[in-house]
Structures are given as C-alpha cells and as structure tokens.
Amino acid sequence: IGRDSVEVLGHSYPRDDFTNVTPKILAKVGRNLHNQPHHPLWLIKERIKAHFYSSYIGRWGNPLFSVHDNLSPVVTVEQNFDSLLIPPDHPSRKRGDNYYLNRSTMLRAHTSAHQRELVRSGLDAFLLAGDVYRRDEIDASHYPVFHQMEGVRLFSNHELFSEVRSGDLLSLFERGGRRTPGKQETHSLEAVKLLEFNLKQTLTRLVAQLFGEDVEIRWVDCYFPFTHPSFEMEVRFQGDWMEVLGCGVMEQEVLNSAGADNKLGWAFGLGLERLAMVLFGIPDIRLFWSQDERFIKQFRVQDIHQPIDFQPLSKYPPLHNDISFWLPDGAGEGEGFVDNDFYELVRSIGGDLVEKVTLVDEFTHPKTGRRSQCYRIIYRHMERTLTQQEVRLVHEQIERTAESELGVQGRY
Ligand code: PHE
C-alpha cells in the first residue's frame, strides 16, 4: 500500500479519511476461491449452476439464468448501498463494518451491489457469485471475507400470468394501492402472491437438490431495504435452525431505476460458506483459505454430484519417499512426459495415501544433455499411522508404472 493511494487489482484509489482496508485483506482480493476448480466453494457454485441450468430452460432451449462470477469486488458506495435504497444513515454503512478504499469506493459487502447494473444491462434472470467483505472477528464461523451467490429473476405481465386461466385479465401493477406487510404500494396482490410462490418454490427445489429431498426448511419474515416482502430461509441442521439465505420481492424503485419498470422481480442472496460447511461437514471457516493439500484434495471429484466424505485433517504422522528418474528424450517440449502426467499417475496408484507430490530437484547431464527429475511424495493416512512397509509397496508400484507408462528411466 502506498502512502497516498491504495492499489487493488491493478487500479489505484486515492486514500482519504475513510480508507480502512488493510494489506491482509487486500491480499485476499483476487484469490477468487469460488473460481478455483475443485475448491469446495467452487463445487457448491457448480452444483447450483447445474441445478439452474437443467431446471430452467428458456424459450429456445437456452439456459434461462446466465451466470456471472468475475465481477470485480471493488464497487462504488453508491452501488453497494444507494442503488439498493439503503438510507445514508443506515447502520450497515458503518466504517467499522466495511472495508472502504475511500469515501466513494469499497469492497462489496454483498453481491446485491450488482443487481441494478445487471438488470440495466438487459438481463431477466441471472446468478452472480463473488467474494464479499465485512469487518469481522476471525473464529471458526466468522471471517472478514466470504462468498455469496445472488439470484435475480424478472417477470413481465405475460410471463407471470401465462399459467393462470384468463391470466391476460390480470395485471402486475395497481394504482393508488397501499404498502402492507405483504406487498408494495404499486404491486397487485395477485402478482405478488404468484411471484412469492415462484421464489419460494425455486429456492425450496434448490436446497432439496443440494441437501436431499428430506431436508427440513422454514421461512422467516424479515426486512431488507431493497426487497418487500422479505424472507429468510432456514435449514434444520443437527437439530438447530440455520439461516442460509435472504430473499424477497425486489423493491420496484430498484427495478425502475434500472429501466425495468414494466416488470416485477425477486432476488435472493445465499452464503456459500454456510452451505459448504453444512453440506460437507467442514468445521471451521478458515479452512476454506487453506492451501493444505490434505484439505483441497478431498474435494477433487470427477463428477460434481459425487458425494464428498470430508475428514478433518489428519493427526497422523507423514512419511516421505523420493523418486528420481531420467526423462525420455524430447520431454518438456510439448511432446512426451509432462509433470502433470506424473502427478496423475501418483494419485491414481497412491490414492488416499498420498497427501502431496512436489518436484524437489531437476538436473541436466552436462555431457549427454539428458534431463532427470526428483519428486518427493508425502504419504499420510487420515485415520491411522502408515507403516514404512506398506508405503514401500505403493512407492515401488509407482516406480514401476512410471517406467512402463511414462517411459522414464528410474535412478533408484
Ligand atoms: N444481500 C443480502 C445480504 O447479504 C441478502 C439478500 C439478497 C436479501 C437479495 C434479499 C435479496 O444479507
């Protein structure tokens, strides 16, 4: 961080009396855990995408919902708050609860910050995943960076009432209406009830897909400045009700300001960490940031729908063994042997015994020009202490298979 400005993702923002981002937080910007293949947050995102892609098909066989997961977390204060009708003195704007780059720019505190711009760009149905930032304590369930998935769906008169008999006689809006606990002043009651039903059904199906049909849920009335009516969905988990998402009928003013004044819409925002912790039994939110191979490798499945059997990290000791070999001629020039082939092979033979494989040494013979590599394989079991003997058997099999399948020549 410079003295007069803050650098984020290649842009420079002048500091002022509001600036409160720290180097530690800035180091997280750009990590994009939700875009890292096989990361548990990525896995949940992919499962949600797959559900929406297969369940909601557009008129021409296209997916109805478009997916956006690369919007910059740097937003204006106007996007994060004003565009969502959050009043100037609202407590959620507190400097103590947010990361400001300066008075006008911040790290988004929720993915709702992008609702207006995406609606304005003409989208009627979208999902949006991203990292969000809120100043918080760090413990097993709180971390100042987490991830959300936002969903928005808009309906024209025709789209909302097409399934209803004589639906062409109904309208989305009414004049001179009043705001009640159930609806906004400009909305017709029949439109809101259908929209609310569609919203709750969409989300109920989503969690049934994620958690299984037996999942118990309940709806709790709540308040957001940008939706009315608003609800929270809670999921029953180990005997307790746990809040997993907020949602509601979008405030018409938000839609009007985005140029969609002839439509009604619903929106939801869910926390990806919450879902992942429950779904996979991950006990500590800090683990999502772990670069520990023992954590990450447990989510490396072929098919995103494969069940995950997460084991908290092993307390048992590691054993390591090195393997050195001469590479076949021409290796590393696009043909023949590549490092990933070897990692693949080790994983396929060693399976769960292998925690990590690293290239520790590389060498080219000065006379012959032949190249040799040395890899270190760390063996560790999740549930017991491995013996030297069983590790040796696996290690020898890796040596033999590398020779026969990758054409390397062992130096053992
Ligand atoms: N943005 C809200 C939050 O972070 C969740 C939300 C999204 C609520 C969309 C309603 C509609 O808590």
Side-chain angles (χ1 to χ4, degrees):
I1 301 189
R3 231 159 51 83
D4 305 323
S5 63
V6 184
E7 298 282 330
V8 196
L9 300 173
H11 291 264
S12 184
Y13 303 87
R15 289 173 167 275
D16 63 20
D17 58 330
F18 242 60
T19 308
N20 67 356
V21 283
T22 60
K24 261 217 171 68
I25 288 299
L26 289 174
K28 307 289 186 201
V29 180
R31 272 288 290 283
N32 292 329
L33 299 181
H34 59 292
N35 292 340
Q36 183 185 313
H38 303 294
H39 190 279
L41 298 175
W42 171 88
L43 188 58
I44 303 265
K45 181 192 78 174
E46 289 301 312
R47 286 184 181 177
I48 295 173
K49 273 168 65 177
H51 171 75
F52 275 91
Y53 280 160
S54 65
S55 306
Y56 304 95
I57 316 278
R59 229 185 306 170
W60 292 285
N62 55 307
L64 193 63
F65 286 82
S66 57
V67 179
H68 309 260
D69 53 20
N70 247 319
L71 294 173
S72 170
V74 179
V75 298
T76 61
V77 172
E78 205 273 336
Q79 282 177 292
N80 196 82
F81 296 119
D82 302 78
S83 80
L84 294 161
L85 315 174
I86 298 170
D89 55 352
H90 197 270
S92 67
R93 295 190 185 233
K94 278 206 302 278
R95 222 171 137 252
D97 289 346
N98 296 282
Y99 289 107
Y100 287 93
L101 302 186
N102 52 41
R103 278 191 176 269
S104 61
T105 322
M106 62 188 296
L107 298 176
R108 68 186 161 212
H110 55 176
T111 44
S112 303
H114 301 285
Q115 276 186 14
R116 187 191 55 195
E117 70 188 270
L118 290 179
V119 169
R120 192 182 274 156
S121 76
L123 298 173
D124 276 341
F126 59 84
L127 299 172
L128 157 65
D131 39 334
V132 300
Y133 298 77
R134 294 184 198 172
R135 290 178 73 178
D136 216 334
E137 296 297 298
I138 298 188
D139 64 26
S141 49
H142 298 91
Y143 200 81
V145 192
F146 58 103
H147 296 74
Q148 286 187 326
M149 182 115 160
E150 189 93 358
V152 167
R153 184 169 180 188
L154 308 188
F155 291 83
S156 65
N157 198 305
H158 171 74
E159 284 159 337
L160 193 63
F161 294 126
S162 59
E163 319 262 273
V164 178
R165 235 187 312 142
S166 304
D168 48 337
L169 300 176
L170 301 176
S171 42
L172 297 179
F173 302 103
E174 71 179 26
R175 254 186 280 269
R178 291 188 35 173
R179 179 168 289 242
T180 67
K183 71 171 203 71
Q184 299 170 34
E185 45 277 53
T186 59
H187 292 165
S188 74
L189 186 59
E190 50 277 19
V192 171
K193 286 300 162 194
L194 277 174
L195 196 72
E196 185 180 322
F197 172 68
N198 184 275
L199 168 62
K200 288 181 172 171
Q201 179 172 251
T202 301
L203 292 170
T204 303
R205 285 183 177 154
L206 173 65
V207 297
Q209 165 73 33
L210 293 173
F211 289 90
E213 298 291 334
D214 295 335
V215 68
E216 278 186 85
I217 64 154
R218 70 179 186 190
W219 295 101
V220 180
D221 290 326
C222 71
Y223 174 79
F224 298 106
F226 40 96
T227 51
H228 183 77
S230 305
F231 314 95
E232 276 165 1
M233 184 204 263
E234 296 185 343
V235 171
R236 198 169 162 92
F237 175 63
Q238 294 179 346
D240 286 329
W241 290 102
M242 195 187 63
E243 182 208 324
V244 296
L245 63 84
C247 65
V249 176
M250 293 171 78
E251 280 289 349
Q252 198 58 36
E253 254 196 74
V254 174
L255 288 178
N256 294 354
S257 72
D261 44 280
N262 57 340
K263 292 179 178 165
L264 252 62
W266 53 241
F268 69 81
L270 55 80
L272 290 174
E273 276 84 353
R274 276 284 178 85
L275 287 182
M277 289 174 87
V278 176
L279 213 46
F280 303 138
I282 298 172
D284 191 314
I285 196 167
R286 288 168 289 199
L287 281 169
F288 292 105
W289 297 90
S290 159
Q291 313 254 27
D292 192 327
E293 191 64 12
R294 289 178 290 162
F295 176 72
I296 285 302
K297 72 175 226 181
Q298 300 192 55
F299 302 94
R300 204 175 279 131
V301 285
Q302 291 263 313
D303 171 358
I304 58 165
H305 296 297
Q306 225 162 296
I308 303 285
D309 178 24
F310 177 76
Q311 309 265 354
L313 305 192
S314 176
K315 320 175 268 304
Y316 299 95
L319 282 175
H320 63 251
N321 257 314
D322 292 349
I323 178 169
S324 306
F325 41 66
W326 295 107
L327 303 187
D329 294 333
E333 285 149 35
E335 302 282 302
F337 182 89
V338 282
D339 304 6
N340 281 341
D341 295 336
F342 182 68
Y343 295 135
E344 223 22 57
L345 180 146
V346 173
R347 220 172 272 139
S348 71
I349 296 174
D352 287 347
L353 300 192
V354 176
E355 178 171 304
K356 196 170 177 171
V357 187
T358 42
L359 179 61
V360 288
D361 192 30
E362 217 165 356
F363 149 88
T364 306
H365 193 281
K367 291 226 178 68
T368 63
R370 284 179 96 193
R371 287 209 298 137
S372 114
Q373 287 185 331
C374 177
Y375 290 89
R376 174 156 301 164
I377 305 177
I378 298 178
Y379 297 89
R380 168 149 42 190
H381 201 280
M382 281 291 172
E383 287 127 355
R384 62 193 167 76
T385 301
L386 293 172
T387 65
Q388 276 292 356
Q389 200 175 7
E390 71 182 311
V391 166
R392 201 177 59 239
L393 286 177
V394 174
H395 198 74
E396 283 169 0
Q397 200 192 336
I398 290 171
E399 291 174 340
R400 282 196 303 274
T401 316
E403 295 206 353
S404 62
E405 295 198 353
L406 301 179
V408 304
Q409 191 188 338
R411 301 178 59 190
Y412 346 114

